[in-house]
Amino acid sequence: MQPEMIPPTAPPLFEVRGLSRRFPVGGPFGPRRTLRALHEVSFSVARGDSVALVGESGSGKSTLARLVVRLDDPSGGTMLLDGHDVYTAEPRPTLAYRKRVQMVFQDPFGSLNPAHTIGHHLERPLRLHGRAEDAPARARELLVDVGLPADLADRSARSLSGGQRQRVAIARALAVKPDLLVADEPTSMLDVSLRAGVLELFARERAARGLACLFITHDLGAARATADRVLVLYGGMLVEAGPTEEVLAAPLHPYTKLLMAAALPGDLRAPLPARPGQASSIDPGPGCPFAARCPLVIGRCRDSLPVLSAPSPGRLARCHLTET
Ligand SMILES: Nc1ncnc2c1ncn2[C@@H]1O[C@H](COP(=O)(O)OP(=O)(O)O)[C@@H](O)[C@H]1O
Ligand SMILES: [Mg+2]
């Protein structure tokens, strides 16, 4: 084949480039300071991909999720959908963006209005996105898809348990057949017996129509069950990324190793080091954000931020010890 006949490689479905978010902190009379919630995060998601975003509380996971679904704007960096810069294409998110990129929130109690019926919550996005005629029937099908009885459509959100609400939120997000689903701890409110069913539903949507998923979790075990690739966030920075099985079999970053130790059951659990010396994300110093907690810390870690390097193909780590 002539070089000019090779078709251009399709851009990934969704791409995040150098995304940062700082929040102002302190009162009106205090010094102007900012908190670094997210710092130059980059990754891409292809159609049908399943990516887990892992990190402890406060690492920036929800901040990133809110940026991806455009509930918030970044302080720096950009995002591309089908190769187009979303901020240039549409300064405010359009209905089309909202349809293509859906989110399931962590708190199912906050995301459903108790004054409305479940049917209303499911029919509304269908009507908004042009499926008005069969919306009631489709709403009932969606309930069955997430393992709920169809007649739940007539009940108010007030009467549902947390697990039922979470499944309604998942049904609502899938109703408009999004291209990308961002799910913040989507199975945390569910009994173990229901988790597998919900994960299967996501897997079916991925296989059937190329749904891409970005799952947010603080738990590496959940990442193993849901995702082909894992991104590890610490202090708002990507510290490790790679295929889930490879990362879990041989983590590169000391923080990922600690996360794995914390995920072990019972007696095998290694205590996480105390946090008093943890690097503050307000006025962060020049070094690695993990240096204060790192059991393998060396002098350099305190004064220079390691770059994200690729010690082996497909793997990324931000650590002076594995820098290439
Ligand atoms: N709207 C906000 N204003 C100020 N600080 C915020 C805001 N949202 C998040 N933060 C801070 O940003 C950091 C990351 O938060 P978040 O993204 O919620 O973490 P995670 O979801 O990983 O627990 C935290 O220190 C949090 O307190
Ligand atoms: Mg969160």
Side-chain angles (χ1 to χ4, degrees), residues 218 220 256-266 268-272:
H218 61 271
L220 279 172
T256 317
K257 291 178 190 171
L258 274 181
L259 268 183
M260 289 192 62
L264 290 171
L268 296 173
R269 184 176 306 180
L272 279 173

Side-chain angles (χ1 to χ4, degrees), residues 43-317:
F43 63 91
S44 64
V45 182
R47 265 172 218 287
D49 246 1
S50 175
V51 179
L53 188 64
V54 185
E56 66 192 19
S57 177
S59 56
K61 306 180 301 292
S62 296
T63 299
L64 179 57
R66 289 173 54 81
L67 292 172
V68 169
V69 299
R70 297 197 65 184
L71 286 172
D72 186 22
D73 289 322
S75 319
T78 196
M79 308 193 300
L80 288 79
L81 187 59
D82 289 331
H84 301 290
D85 185 307
V86 303
Y87 301 109
T88 315
E90 17 174 277
R92 302 302 332 144
T94 58
L95 205 56
Y97 190 90
R98 296 257 183 256
K99 176 185 179 299
R100 294 190 65 188
V101 183
Q102 283 280 322
M103 169 133 189
V104 177
F105 291 92
Q106 193 166 9
D107 171 19
F109 290 91
S111 62
L112 299 176
N113 182 340
H116 291 300
T117 64
I118 297 306
H120 170 91
H121 280 107
L122 294 175
E123 288 169 35
R124 193 164 171 273
L126 292 167
R127 291 184 203 282
L128 258 176
H129 296 287
R131 290 199 52 168
E133 66 294 341
D134 63 346
R138 182 79 191 109
R140 284 164 186 271
E141 277 172 30
L142 285 161
L143 286 170
V144 174
D145 279 350
V146 292
L148 292 169
D151 59 13
L152 217 64
D154 307 321
R155 304 243 305 261
S156 91
R158 193 179 288 118
S159 66
L160 267 55
S161 71
Q164 287 174 322
R165 285 179 199 220
Q166 195 150 26
R167 280 182 286 163
V168 170
I170 290 167
R172 182 175 57 175
L174 295 176
V176 296
K177 298 195 182 301
D179 292 325
L180 175 63
L181 178 74
V182 182
D184 204 345
E185 305 269 5
T187 59
S188 63
M189 297 284 289
L190 302 182
D191 288 342
V192 175
S193 59
L194 294 171
R195 284 185 190 177
V198 165
L199 297 181
E200 237 165 67
L201 176 67
F202 291 138
R204 266 207 319 269
E205 292 278 314
R206 288 174 56 205
R209 49 176 209 84
L211 172 71
C213 296
L214 183 61
F215 291 117
I216 295 173
T217 174
H218 61 271
D219 169 11
L220 279 172
R224 171 175 270 152
T226 49
D228 304 329
R229 272 191 307 136
V230 62
L231 309 171
V232 183
L233 272 188
Y234 184 81
M237 282 184 221
L238 208 55
V239 295
E240 175 150 11
T244 311
E245 286 305 325
E246 286 182 38
V247 171
L248 296 190
L252 294 170
H253 198 282
Y255 176 60
T256 317
K257 291 178 190 171
L258 274 181
L259 268 183
M260 289 192 62
L264 290 171
D267 295 346
L268 296 173
R269 184 176 306 180
L272 279 173
R275 303 186 58 170
Q278 189 182 16
S280 166
S281 54
I282 302 171
D283 306 327
C288 171
F290 190 58
R293 285 170 80 191
C294 185
L296 305 174
V297 65
I298 52 173
R300 215 157 17 124
C301 306
R302 301 193 199 277
D303 2 283
S304 84
L305 178 66
V307 296
L308 202 56
S309 68
S312 60
R315 302 284 303 270
L316 290 173

